[in-house]
Amino acid sequence: MELPAPEQLKQSLYVPNKTLMGPGPSNCTQRVLDSLSNPVLGHMHPECFEIMDDIKAGVKYLFQTKNTATMCISGSGHAGMETAFVNLVEDGDVVLLACTGLWGYRAAEMVKRLNGDVRYVESRFGHALSLKEIEFAFEGHKPQVFFIAQGDSSTGILQPQLKEIGELCEKYKCLFVVDTVASLGGVEFLMDAWKVDMAYTGSQKVLGAPAGITPVSFSDRAIARIKARKSYVKSYYFDALLVGQYWNCFDTPRIYHHTISSTLLYGLREALAQFCALGRKNVIHRHQECSHRLQCGVEEIGLEMFVVKANDRLPTVNTIKVPAGVEWQKVSQYAMRKYKLEISGGLGPTAEQVFRIGLMGANATYERVDLVLNILHEAIQSTKFVEKSKI
Amino acid sequence: MELPAPEQLKQSLYVPNKTLMGPGPSNCTQRVLDSLSNPVLGHMHPECFEIMDDIKAGVKYLFQTKNTATMCISGSGHAGMETAFVNLVEDGDVVLLACTGLWGYRAAEMVKRLNGDVRYVESRFGHALSLKEIEFAFEGHKPQVFFIAQGDSSTGILQPQLKEIGELCEKYKCLFVVDTVASLGGVEFLMDAWKVDMAYTGSQKVLGAPAGITPVSFSDRAIARIKARKSYVKSYYFDALLVGQYWNCFDTPRIYHHTISSTLLYGLREALAQFCALGRKNVIHRHQECSHRLQCGVEEIGLEMFVVKANDRLPTVNTIKVPAGVEWQKVSQYAMRKYKLEISGGLGPTAEQVFRIGLMGANATYERVDLVLNILHEAIQSTKFVEKSKI
C-alpha cells in the first residue's frame, strides 16, 4: 500500500532567467546569487551570529535608525506586516489604516483576526492622502496605532509628508507603523527623524536579495508598549521580544528561538553590502532618475501615468494606464514570451487598469528603462495589430 | 545627520565548510547547494507553480498521504508548529501536549497565546510514553487536540505506537497533530494509515534542504474543523485555507497570498528529488543502520546512550550521556576547532547532560558515523588529559 514516488521529481530542475520588472521580486546580482550556494551554517554558530550582526548594522543604515530592536523576521514581507500588528495591537485597540491602494485593506485582514478595531482613511483613487485628511481621521477615530504604506505597490502611489504624519502621531499619542516594502531605497526614509515606531521592508525589491527574510525595526516607544501589554502576543514565531533576543537586540543572552535560514542570511548580507558600497543617497537618486526617464518615455509613446500628481508617484513601482482597446494580459504575455521580460498588470483596486513596471535594484538602470519602454511599445502595437488582423 | 554605512559590510562574506552532526541543520548535498544560485522567479510565475507542484507531490510521498491540503509554510519548523495550533485551536479548546522532551513545552507556549486550555502528559525522564499513560490522560482531559513529537530532538526519544495513538484519537474524537521535524525519513511515518490529522516536518534535517520552508499536511477532518471554526484563524500568514489556495490545494483558483522564496523552493525541490530517487524505505533503513552502528560504537568507547530502551531511540538525533568528570562544552569545542565537526550538547531537559549527534541526510553514512565516533573519543580523551595536566 506504499504510495509511490512521484514521476515528476525524476526530471531535473530548470529555471529560466527572466528580467523581473514587475512589482517584485527584482533580479538578484550575481554576487548575491553566488552567495546562496555557500554551505549552510547552524543557527547558533558564531559565524552565523556574525552575519546577523552585519545584517543588523546594514538594516539600521537602510532605515536610518539607532533602534536596538532592529532584526529580521524569517518570513516574507507579509510576515513583517503581521509582526507589526501581532505585537502592537491588543483586543479592542483602535487601528487606523491608511488606504492608498491594496495594502491598507490587507493590513485590515490581519488586524481583524487580532480583535483590533479597524478604521480606515481612504485616499481618492490615484491620489496620495493629504495631511488634512489624515488629521481629520485622527480626530474622529483617536487611534492607538496608525498604519500607512510609504509606497503602495498596487497603485504606484507614494505617500509624501511622512515626517508631518509622524508629528501627528506623536500629538495623538499613537504608534506610527510604516510599510516600506516597495519604497525603501527608492525614496528617502528616515525612521528616527520621522518618529516612526515600527517599519518593515522587503528583501526582494530594491535590495535584490531573495524573498523569505524581512528586515523590521521597533522604536523604544514601540518596545515599551509591547512590554506593557496586558495580554500575550498571540504569536510565538513573530514575538518581537523573543526574535529580538535571538538577534541580540537587548541586554540579555541570545536565545534559540527558531532555526534561521543561513542561506537567506547570506543573500541579504551581500545585498546590504552592495547597497552600502553604493551609498544610500546614490541608490535613491538613481531610482528617481530612472523613474523620471521612464515617465518621460511613457509620455513619448503616447501613454499616461496612473498617479495624477508627479510628486505622488513611487519611483520603484510605476503604474501606467492601460490604453483603451488594449488587453493588458496580451501585452504582458507578449513581453514574457518574446523577451522573458516581466511587465505586470494591476492588483486589487487597479486590476485590469494599469501596467506595473518595477525599477528596483539591479533593474534600476537607464538600459533597463529603455528596454522595458521599447518592449512595452512593441507589445502594445503587436496586440493592436493582432486585433485588427482578426477583423 | 546621515547615519553612516557600517564598516563591517566592506568585508566580503566568508562561510566555513563544517560537518554538521548536531540536531540540525544537516549538510546539504552539492546538488542542493548548486540549485540555490538559480535566478529568482516571481511568486506567481507558471514555472514557480510547477516547482511548487513538484514539491507537493514529493511531500505527499514523504508523509505517505493523499491529503489535498499538503503545502509548505514560508518559515522554519517552529512556523510549522504554530500553523498547527493557530488553525486547529479556538479559545478554550483543551489541548493535550505529550512531553518526551522540550517540544511539548514549546507547543504550550504557542497554545497559551491562543487561549487554548493546555494539559500535559509527561513521560518519565529518558523514556517514551506508554499507550496506557496516553489513554489515561485522554480519559482525564478529554482533549480536542492531541500533540506529540514523533522524535524529540532534545532527548533523542522516539515515540513508538503512533498507529495505536491515532486509533485513540479517533475513539476520543480528538485531532491528532504530529511533529515529525527531527524524525521524518529516519523512521517509518504513515500519515493516512495512522490517521494523523496534521503533520509538519523540517526541511533542514533528513531532507538536507536549507531551513526556512516547512512542509505541512492537513487531513480532510482537520480542514473540516478549520472551516467550522467560530472565530477567525488568528494569523493571516499561517492561515491554512489561504496558504492552501496559493498552493492550489483546493478547487479554487490560485491566490496571491505572500511572496514565496523561489530560492528555498529550488533547494527543497532538489532535496525531495534526491529523497525520491533513493526511495523512502531505503533512506529510513540507512538511517537506522547508521544509528545502530553509532550505538555499538558508543558502547565500545565506554559511553552510554541516554534513552533507556533501544526501541525508544531516535536514529536521527542520538543522545549520549556525558560521562562523569567531562565537560561537554570542551568536547564540543575541541571537535569544532580541530575538525570543523559539530557535536552538540543537550537542550532544555537534557542541558549539560548529553551529547547530541545527528545522523541525517548526507551525514547518515557509515563513514560519517566512524568519523564522529573517532572524534568524540579523541575529544573526550583530550579534555581529560588537559584536566589531569592542570592538576
Side-chain angles (χ1 to χ4, degrees), chain A residues 39-52 246 256 258-263 265-266, chain B residues 15-16 18-27 204 211 336 342 344:
Chain A
V40 296
L41 278 174
H43 48 288
M44 296 298 279
H45 289 188
E47 298 89 349
C48 188
F49 292 154
E50 209 174 295
I51 296 169
M52 290 164 74
Y246 177 46
Y256 160 43
H258 69 283
T259 302
I260 205 163
S261 184
S262 57
T263 302
L265 290 176
Y266 305 151
Chain B
V15 181
K18 300 180 176 184
T19 304
L20 301 174
M21 299 186 73
S26 65
N27 291 96
Q204 76 280 11
M336 183 56 77
E342 182 177 26
S344 295

Side-chain angles (χ1 to χ4, degrees), chain B residues 318-368:
Chain B
N318 300 270
T319 45
I320 301 162
K321 287 186 187 170
V322 177
V326 171
E327 286 179 58
W328 76 269
Q329 262 169 320
K330 287 191 178 161
V331 173
S332 178
Q333 284 161 3
Y334 179 96
M336 183 56 77
R337 199 174 52 240
K338 191 158 171 193
Y339 296 105
K340 291 253 175 283
L341 173 80
E342 182 177 26
I343 293 175
S344 295
L347 177 69
T350 62
E352 313 282 320
Q353 300 187 49
V354 301
F355 297 113
R356 291 188 297 162
I357 293 183
L359 301 174
M360 291 186 275
N363 295 332
T365 63
Y366 281 180
E367 290 75 13
R368 288 283 158 96

Side-chain angles (χ1 to χ4, degrees), chain A residues 79-384:
Chain A
M81 184 186 269
E82 192 151 312
T83 298
F85 297 117
V86 80
N87 283 284
L88 300 177
V89 176
E90 293 197 82
D91 287 16
D93 281 356
V94 176
V95 183
L96 179 61
L97 305 169
C99 301
T100 55
L102 177 71
W103 296 105
Y105 303 107
R106 182 55 54 89
E109 287 186 54
M110 296 184 184
V111 176
K112 281 178 192 169
R113 290 164 186 263
L114 298 165
N115 291 326
D117 182 352
V118 171
R119 314 289 175 93
Y120 298 102
V121 49
E122 294 161 309
S123 74
R124 282 174 300 148
F125 198 53
H127 289 265
L129 282 157
S130 71
L131 262 188
K132 259 196 188 157
E133 289 171 311
I134 294 173
E135 179 146 27
F136 187 75
F138 267 87
E139 272 297 336
H141 299 298
K142 306 267 188 293
Q144 270 93 49
V145 177
F146 175 70
F147 163 90
I148 198 161
Q150 184 181 27
D152 191 297
S153 61
S154 71
T155 53
I157 288 172
L158 169 72
Q159 177 63 49
Q161 295 186 295
L162 291 193
K163 183 174 187 294
E164 290 76 9
I165 297 173
E167 282 159 13
L168 265 185
C169 285
E170 190 174 48
K171 179 174 155 193
Y172 286 87
K173 294 192 180 16
C174 167
L175 291 176
F176 186 23
V177 176
V178 183
D179 175 320
T180 70
V181 171
S183 59
L184 204 69
V187 288
E188 187 56 287
F189 181 76
L190 301 171
M191 181 157 195
D192 289 357
W194 297 352
K195 300 177 182 164
V196 175
D197 290 302
M198 196 283 179
Y200 57 93
T201 192
S203 55
Q204 77 281 11
K205 307 265 184 174
V206 167
L207 286 176
I213 185 152
T214 293
V216 305
S217 185
F218 290 86
S219 72
D220 291 347
R221 281 184 304 278
I223 292 293
R225 177 79 69 93
I226 297 171
K227 287 186 175 166
R229 284 178 67 102
K230 289 177 217 88
S231 59
Y232 292 121
V233 169
K234 284 172 184 153
S235 167
Y236 165 92
Y237 194 70
F238 296 132
D239 186 317
L241 300 183
L242 294 182
V243 180
Q245 278 185 73
Y246 177 46
W247 278 80
N248 203 24
C249 296
F250 311 118
D251 293 329
T252 49
R254 278 200 204 252
I255 57 161
Y256 160 43
H257 174 260
H258 69 283
T259 302
I260 205 163
S261 184
S262 57
T263 302
L264 295 180
L265 290 176
Y266 305 151
L268 181 56
R269 194 250 180 225
E270 291 301 88
L272 284 165
Q274 290 189 312
F275 184 89
C276 290
L278 292 166
R280 205 179 67 86
K281 295 210 163 177
N282 296 329
V283 175
I284 292 172
H285 183 70
R286 200 185 79 219
H287 281 79
Q288 294 181 331
E289 292 288 298
C290 284
S291 179
H292 183 69
R293 187 179 181 98
L294 183 83
Q295 291 176 41
C296 294
V298 161
E299 202 172 308
E300 273 171 32
I301 59 175
L303 299 176
E304 201 185 334
M305 296 301 289
F306 168 74
V307 180
V308 181
K309 287 188 204 154
N311 275 348
D312 297 350
R313 291 179 193 153
L314 187 60
T316 44
V317 181
N318 300 270
T319 44
I320 300 162
K321 287 186 188 171
V322 177
V326 171
E327 287 178 58
W328 76 268
Q329 262 169 319
K330 287 191 178 161
V331 173
S332 178
Q333 284 160 4
Y334 179 96
M336 182 56 76
R337 199 175 51 240
K338 189 158 173 193
Y339 296 104
K340 290 252 175 283
L341 173 80
E342 181 176 26
I343 293 175
S344 295
L347 176 70
T350 62
E352 314 280 322
Q353 299 187 48
V354 301
F355 298 113
R356 291 188 296 162
I357 293 182
L359 300 174
M360 292 186 275
N363 295 332
T365 63
Y366 281 179
E367 290 75 14
R368 289 283 158 98
V369 170
D370 296 346
L371 179 81
V372 76
L373 279 168
N374 286 334
I375 294 177
L376 178 65
H377 186 57
E378 181 186 319
I380 290 176
Q381 295 310 316
S382 96
T383 58
K384 277 184 182 167

